[in-house]
Amino acid sequence: MFSNHKYIAFETIVIREIRRFGRIWLQTLVPPAITIGLYFVIFGNLVGSRIGEMGGYRYMEFIVPGLIMMSVIQNSYSNVVSSFFSHKFQHSIEELLVSPVPNYVILSGFIVGGMARGMAVGLIVTVMSLFFANLEIQNLLITVTVVLLTSIVFALAGFINALFANSFDDISIIPTFVLTPLIYLGGVFYSVELLPPFWKFVSALNPIFYMVNTFRYGILGTSDVDVTWAFFILCVFIVILFTCCIWLLRRGTGLRS
Amino acid sequence: MTIAISIQNLVKTYANGFEALKGISLEVQEGDFFALLGPNGAGKSTTIGVISTLVNKTSGSVEVFGKNVDTHVYETKLDFGVVPQEVNFSQFEKVRDIVMTQAGYYGLPRKLAAERCEKYLRKLGLWEKRDERSRSLSGGMKRRLMIARALVHEPRLLILDEPTAGVDIELRRSMWEFLTEINNKGTTIILTTHYLEEAEQLCRNIAIIDEGKIVENTSMRKLLSELDSQVYILETRSQIPAGFDLKLVNTNLEIVDENCIEVTVSGGLSINEVFAVFSEAGIKIDSMRNKTNRLEQLFLSKLEGND
């Protein structure tokens, strides 16, 4: 085996993942751009102009960070879940399982692939947002770090979903019934300051709430949450989900009979 | 000689309680061309699944070139390549990308991977198809692509699970030639097949598996020597006279029609002695063929013995 064989294997998985979502760009890159563009026009421009200010900013400026984060979360998740399940469905995952690639390399490759799509869509949405709002990033380090960590969290979650999925229905249940409600209730469109105490408390249990607000802090310089606490939560999620993925891979859950 | 693969007391019970392997033990020497035969559901693919780590065993051990597949996961995987029964590559990727990706999984640097990719795609007649999506390939081409993919890291042991199923005769023969060539160059080959003729043509040693147990494990020559009778069908140019008899011990004769006769020869009697009787009777023989595949006969008798 060559000395850098693990890196070559990792690079191979990442390139294959990027090639996959690049090949089907009409399904992977264009739809989120159109959807988020419509959010900008309808909520930001038409409705937002009547709402006025939110959290001390124009409504359009307020929702832009949340919508960028929403696209990153959805695309990081869906890239991993659809790609990995597709490999399971076509049995091409066996190519990887019989080869000498350690589980952590397999996992890392898919995670980086998911992040690549999340970042690509996030970038497209960010460029689009410049047509609607003047964005001046207040803290570049926090902005980039939080978006990368969030992308890792949801790529890992997508991986677990794919391991347990037995049909194409199984890969759409979590995004539809769990992910979308969590994102919508995670402070993308409103400040939690508007909520009554009970719903404020419920929002505090939603991890996406911390991610969206920390990202908003990086861009606008204002947030409903403590940024340090938000980073701590993100890191805890990454450690738990990564460990869980490795354990499931080692057991062969959903992969080996 | 080095043992390429050693399986000891391998047991596999699936979650639904089905016992696919009931403690099989098997050894394959390095350089061998080994056949694993058995009817559907006998446990052949499960055995290959356990070796290639796609199936979790219940108990027992598997060693590849002296290393346990449980404790030396990555070293053992480097030593073998697997060609599965079902197509298991992405239908949306290009032929070349499939082989290059596999090379990447084995850590081959890009330049070497490209050389090997070209080498094996050319050898298996797929180089012209390298830029086509795999779903556009014919069934035979897909099987050859899986062989090219399994060889790209040049393993010492190649495991083929019914590689010629559904492949036409011409292509099957060219695949036999290719497999013989790589075996002659030192690659150990384990082959499962339903084509008993294939095993007889290619393999030096054989194991017959039935209901999760090895019912025979011997050399092909020894197994075939167990046959004590063969049935020949002779086509004659001249008409066979009514009441014609060979008058030889250890033979049985059945006239099929006036120009066709079926002769069963046993007990070590030479076919030349049969020809001599025909010659004396003035009957000219146009052609002769075996009625049944000899290995098939043996295979069925072994399975009956296991019932």
Side-chain angles (χ1 to χ4, degrees):
Chain A
M1 195 94 183
F2 302 92
S3 56
N4 58 343
H5 69 274
K6 287 175 190 164
Y7 176 73
I8 292 174
F10 167 76
E11 188 187 56
T12 302
I13 299 170
V14 173
I15 290 172
R16 194 199 54 198
E17 286 303 291
I18 293 172
R19 207 168 50 211
R20 190 193 78 90
F21 77 73
R23 190 174 59 229
I24 50 171
W25 59 276
L26 265 172
Q27 296 169 47
T28 53
L29 303 178
V30 175
I34 291 174
T35 308
I36 301 292
L38 287 170
Y39 278 119
F40 285 144
V41 173
I42 296 166
F43 290 100
N45 254 2
L46 302 178
V47 180
S49 59
R50 291 166 188 268
I51 291 174
E53 284 197 347
M54 179 75 68
Y57 294 90
R58 275 179 55 221
Y59 188 64
M60 175 63 94
E61 286 169 353
F62 182 84
I63 65 166
V64 163
L67 290 174
I68 293 170
M69 199 52 127
M70 182 165 99
S71 60
V72 170
I73 289 172
Q74 286 176 332
N75 284 280
S76 302
Y77 188 95
S78 63
N79 193 71
V80 177
V81 75
S82 58
S83 173
F84 197 82
F85 180 71
S86 167
H87 284 298
K88 266 176 67 173
F89 187 75
Q90 296 183 78
H91 296 283
S92 51
I93 195 66
E94 290 173 7
E95 294 176 332
L96 255 177
L97 298 177
V98 301
S99 63
V101 185
N103 289 335
Y104 71 88
V105 175
I106 295 176
L107 180 60
S108 306
F110 275 94
I111 299 314
V112 173
M115 289 171 72
R117 177 165 151 197
M119 293 305 122
V121 174
L123 195 65
I124 291 169
V125 171
T126 305
V127 171
M128 283 171 64
S129 72
L130 297 176
F131 292 99
F132 300 93
N134 289 322
L135 288 184
E136 283 178 23
I137 296 173
Q138 301 300 313
N139 191 323
L140 185 64
L141 184 64
I142 286 181
T143 307
V144 173
T145 312
V146 77
V147 81
L148 288 175
L149 293 178
T150 304
S151 183
I152 293 172
V153 168
F154 286 94
L156 285 164
F159 194 88
I160 294 174
N161 187 169
L163 282 175
F164 284 102
N166 290 314
S167 68
F168 283 99
D169 285 343
D170 295 342
I171 63 169
S172 62
I173 287 172
I174 302 289
T176 308
F177 296 104
V178 179
L179 212 52
T180 305
L182 283 178
I183 293 170
Y184 278 57
L185 299 170
V188 172
F189 296 101
Y190 54 85
S191 167
V192 283
E193 294 306 317
L194 301 176
L195 299 175
F198 173 75
W199 290 109
K200 214 184 242 183
F201 170 74
V202 172
S203 291
L205 300 176
N206 178 1
I208 294 177
F209 168 69
Y210 296 91
M211 299 166 193
V212 168
N213 271 283
T214 308
F215 188 63
R216 185 174 285 133
Y217 176 82
I219 292 180
L220 301 180
T222 181
S223 168
D224 289 338
V225 300
D226 177 0
V227 173
T228 313
W229 178 238
F231 275 110
F232 174 74
I233 289 173
L234 272 168
C235 292
V236 168
F237 265 100
I238 288 171
V239 171
I240 291 172
L241 290 172
F242 192 89
T243 309
C244 196
C245 285
I246 292 293
W247 182 72
L248 290 168
L249 276 173
R250 193 172 296 161
R251 283 189 73 219
T253 303
L255 299 172
R256 294 183 165 96
S257 48
Chain B
M1 188 176 261
T2 314
I3 294 170
I5 196 152
S6 170
I7 297 171
Q8 298 300 324
N9 302 315
L10 193 62
V11 176
K12 172 61 188 176
T13 308
Y14 284 100
N16 61 6
F18 174 66
E19 257 191 297
L21 299 176
K22 298 169 182 168
I24 68 163
S25 295
L26 199 63
E27 279 187 356
V28 178
Q29 300 291 329
E30 185 173 18
D32 200 358
F33 205 136
F34 190 91
L36 189 60
L37 291 185
N40 285 331
K44 305 184 298 290
S45 294
T46 301
T47 306
I48 289 175
V50 172
I51 297 168
S52 57
T53 72
L54 291 174
V55 173
N56 291 327
K57 63 183 165 52
T58 305
S59 64
S61 71
V62 178
E63 287 184 1
V64 176
F65 293 103
K67 288 174 187 157
N68 192 300
V69 294
D70 295 328
T71 53
H72 296 77
V73 182
Y74 305 113
E75 295 99 311
T76 52
K77 282 180 170 181
L78 275 176
D79 278 334
F80 64 78
V82 182
V83 180
Q85 203 176 113
E86 304 291 337
V87 169
N88 73 342
F89 48 72
S90 169
Q91 301 287 312
F92 305 105
E93 287 184 26
K94 290 178 183 172
V95 168
R96 191 173 189 276
D97 290 341
I98 288 169
V99 181
M100 287 294 287
T101 298
Q102 188 74 0
Y105 293 160
Y106 283 84
L108 266 65
R110 200 153 181 82
K111 189 167 173 281
L112 179 62
E115 284 169 14
R116 295 256 186 97
C117 176
E118 182 174 347
K119 175 183 168 184
Y120 288 105
L121 286 181
R122 279 192 190 283
K123 267 189 178 294
L124 286 149
L126 291 168
W127 183 244
E128 303 306 318
K129 302 277 181 186
R130 64 190 179 279
D131 291 322
E132 289 190 19
R133 302 246 178 252
S134 64
R135 66 170 178 264
S136 70
L137 299 181
S138 68
M141 286 176 180
K142 285 177 180 171
R143 295 212 169 266
R144 281 182 281 155
L145 173 56
M146 290 199 290
I147 296 176
R149 186 187 61 181
L151 287 171
V152 75
H153 66 287
E154 301 196 333
R156 295 162 75 190
L157 168 66
L158 182 65
I159 303 168
L160 302 117
D161 195 359
E162 298 189 25
T164 54
V167 169
D168 66 51
I169 296 167
E170 194 184 349
L171 187 57
R172 194 183 310 160
R173 297 217 173 254
S174 74
M175 279 167 77
W176 289 359
E177 279 173 26
F178 176 72
L179 293 174
T180 305
E181 183 191 325
I182 59 169
N183 178 246
N184 289 340
K185 285 180 180 167
T187 307
T188 310
I189 298 180
I190 298 176
L191 173 87
T192 78
T193 179
H194 275 137
Y195 298 113
L196 302 174
E197 185 198 356
E198 187 166 84
E200 189 179 352
Q201 289 267 340
L202 297 173
C203 302
R204 287 188 283 280
N205 291 294
I206 184 167
I208 297 176
I209 184 168
D210 186 35
E211 294 176 358
K213 288 182 283 189
I214 300 285
V215 294
E216 185 61 271
N217 185 5
T218 183
S219 71
M220 188 65 77
R221 189 174 294 175
K222 205 170 165 189
L223 188 70
L224 291 172
S225 72
E226 283 183 28
L227 262 178
D228 62 350
S229 71
Q230 290 196 58
V231 182
Y232 299 101
I233 294 174
L234 308 176
E235 303 277 351
T236 62
R237 185 170 299 173
S238 47
Q239 197 173 335
I240 301 160
F244 173 72
D245 192 3
L246 287 170
K247 292 174 187 159
L248 287 170
V249 289
N250 296 330
T251 60
N252 186 37
L253 181 144
E254 190 184 325
I255 296 172
V256 180
D257 61 37
E258 58 191 24
N259 290 98
C260 183
I261 197 162
E262 197 175 294
V263 183
T264 307
V265 180
S266 57
L269 187 77
S270 164
I271 189 72
N272 285 337
E273 292 175 57
V274 175
F275 284 147
V277 176
F278 274 91
S279 186
E280 275 172 27
I283 304 169
K284 288 193 171 176
I285 297 165
D286 266 351
S287 67
M288 180 190 81
R289 63 189 159 89
N290 264 47
K291 186 182 179 186
T292 50
N293 182 296
R294 297 179 301 152
L295 190 59
E296 192 168 294
Q297 237 176 321
L298 262 176
F299 179 67
L300 292 172
S301 72
K302 295 286 174 191
L303 296 189
E304 278 166 19
N306 190 39
D307 283 341

